[in-house]
C-alpha cells in the first residue's frame, strides 16, 4: 500500500485519517507561550490572539521515516506553497529520506484540496494504477480542484503573514459586504467579488463550482451558523450526484482567517 502523508490544514478528522489510512502532520498554534498541535476539534481559544507555525521539515522527515518501515512508496500532499511553507519543508524532508521514494504534491489550495487528492490517490491505487502514474495523475488533477471562501472581514487575513499571496480584483468590501476569495491556478488567492446578504454570498461562493460539475464537493466552516446550514442544503440540491462532505476548519486556519469562515472546495474529473 502507498503511504500517504498530509497536514492538519487538510481538516481531515480522525475518522477520515483512519478510513483513508494516512498520516497527518500537524501545524501548530501558539498561545500564552504554549505550543499546541493543530486539530479540528472544538475551537478552545475563544477571542485570544494566537499565532501559527507550519509543519517543519523535521516533522515531515519523521513521518516519512516512520512510514518507510512499512512501504517504500510515499506521496505527500501540502497546502499551496503560495500561502504557507509546508511544500518547501516537505520537499526538504523528501530529499533527506533515504528509505523510501517520496513524492510531494502541492494541492494548489488548502483544506479539502488535500483531502480530495488523498481520496483520488486511494481510488487510483485500488484499480491497480502504478505509483509513478498515480503521482502524474494527481499533479494533473490539481487543476480540477476549485476552492472559494468568504470571511467576516478581510482585515484578519490581511493582518496575517499570508497577505502577500492575495491579489485584489475588486475594491475592499464596505458596510456589511462579505469578501469572496478564489484560489487561482497558481495557488495564490484573489479577492474576486463582494457580496451583500446571505443569498448573494451563497450564489457567489457556488458559482465557480457549478461550471465544473464536481464529483466531490465539501463545505468547511469555523462555526455552525444559519448560512452554513443553508449552504449545506443548497450544495446537496445543486450537486445531487456528488459526494458531499462538511467539516470544521482546523484551529490554524481559523487563527489566520478570523471568525465566520466559510469555504467550499470541489473536485471534478
Amino acid at each position: 500500500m502507498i503511504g500517504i502523508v498530509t497536514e492538519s490544514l487538510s481538516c481531515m478528522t480522525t475518522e477520515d485519517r483512519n478510513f483513508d489510512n494516512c498520516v497527518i502532520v500537524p501545524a501548530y498554534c501558539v498561545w500564552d507561550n504554549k505550543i499546541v498541535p493543530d486539530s479540528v476539534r472544538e475551537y478552545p481559544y475563544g477571542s485570544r490572539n494566537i499565532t501559527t507555525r507550519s509543519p517543519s521539515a523535521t516533522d515531515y522527515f519523521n513521518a516519512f521515516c516512520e512510514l518507510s518501515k512499512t512501504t517504500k512508496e510515499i506521496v505527500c500532499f501540502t497546502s499551496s506553497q503560495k500561502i504557507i511553507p509546508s511544500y518547501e519543508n516537505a520537499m526538504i524532508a523528501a530529499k533527506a529520506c533515504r528509505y523510501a521514494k517520496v513524492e510531494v504534491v502541492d494541492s494548489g489550495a488548502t483544506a479539502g484540496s488535500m483531502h480530495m487528492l488523498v481520496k483520488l490517490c486511494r481510488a487510483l491505487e485500488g484499480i491497480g494504477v502504478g505509483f509513478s502514474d498515480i503521482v502524474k495523475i494527481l499533479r494533473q488533477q490539481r487543476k480540477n480542484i476549485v476552492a472559494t471562501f468568504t470571511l467576516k472581514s478581510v482585515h484578519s487575513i490581511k493582518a496575517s503573514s499570508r497577505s502577500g499571496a492575495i491579489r485584489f480584483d475588486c475594491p475592499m468590501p464596505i458596510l456589511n459586504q462579505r469578501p469572496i476569495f478564489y484560489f487561482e491556478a497558481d495557488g495564490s488567492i484573489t479577492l474576486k467579488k463582494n457580496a451583500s446578504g446571505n443569498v448573494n454570498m451563497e450564489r457567489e461562493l457556488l458559482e465557480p463550482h457549478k461550471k465544473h460539475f464536481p464529483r466531490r464537493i465539501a463545505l468547511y466552516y469555523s462555526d455552525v451558523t444559519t448560512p452554513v446550514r443553508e449552504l449545506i442544503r443548497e450544495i446537496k440540491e445543486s450537486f445531487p450526484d456528488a459526494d458531499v462532505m462538511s467539516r470544521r476548519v482546523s484551529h490554524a486556519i481559523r487563527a489566520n482567517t478570523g471568525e465566520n469562515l466559510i469555504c467550499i472546495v470541489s473536485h471534478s474529473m
Side-chain angles (χ1 to χ4, degrees), residues 116 144 146 208-218 235 238-243 265-269:
M116 290 179 183
N144 292 330
V146 177
H209 302 276
K210 290 182 177 180
K211 299 176 182 178
H212 295 271
F213 304 101
R215 174 185 173 186
R216 291 192 176 98
I217 185 164
I235 287 170
S238 298
F239 308 100
D241 298 324
D243 177 13
V265 181
S266 65
H267 177 218
S268 58
M269 296 293 286

Side-chain angles (χ1 to χ4, degrees), residues 9 27 58 66 72 87 115 122 131 140-141 143-144 158 217 224:
L9 275 70
T58 300
E66 184 63 27
K72 299 306 176 186
Y87 177 82
H115 193 171
R122 286 294 181 225
F131 181 70
Q140 291 172 339
Q141 284 297 311
K143 69 179 184 298
N144 292 330
K158 283 194 70 179
I217 185 164
V224 179

Side-chain angles (χ1 to χ4, degrees), residues 114-131:
M114 291 171 276
H115 193 171
M116 290 179 183
L117 288 174
V118 166
K119 285 189 168 296
L120 177 59
C121 181
R122 286 294 181 225
L124 292 169
E125 183 184 28
I127 60 174
V129 181
F131 181 70

Side-chain angles (χ1 to χ4, degrees), residues 104-159:
V104 182
V105 177
D106 181 338
S107 71
T110 192
S113 60
M114 291 171 276
H115 193 171
M116 290 179 183
L117 288 174
V118 166
K119 285 189 168 296
L120 177 59
C121 181
R122 286 294 181 225
L124 292 169
E125 183 184 28
I127 60 174
V129 181
F131 181 70
S132 296
D133 288 334
I134 286 176
V135 173
K136 182 178 179 181
I137 292 169
L138 291 169
R139 291 192 171 121
Q140 291 172 339
Q141 284 297 311
R142 173 185 135 156
K143 69 179 184 298
N144 292 330
I145 292 177
V146 177
T148 59
F149 67 96
T150 183
L151 313 171
K152 182 177 181 181
S153 169
V154 73
H155 299 293
S156 54
I157 196 168
K158 283 194 70 179

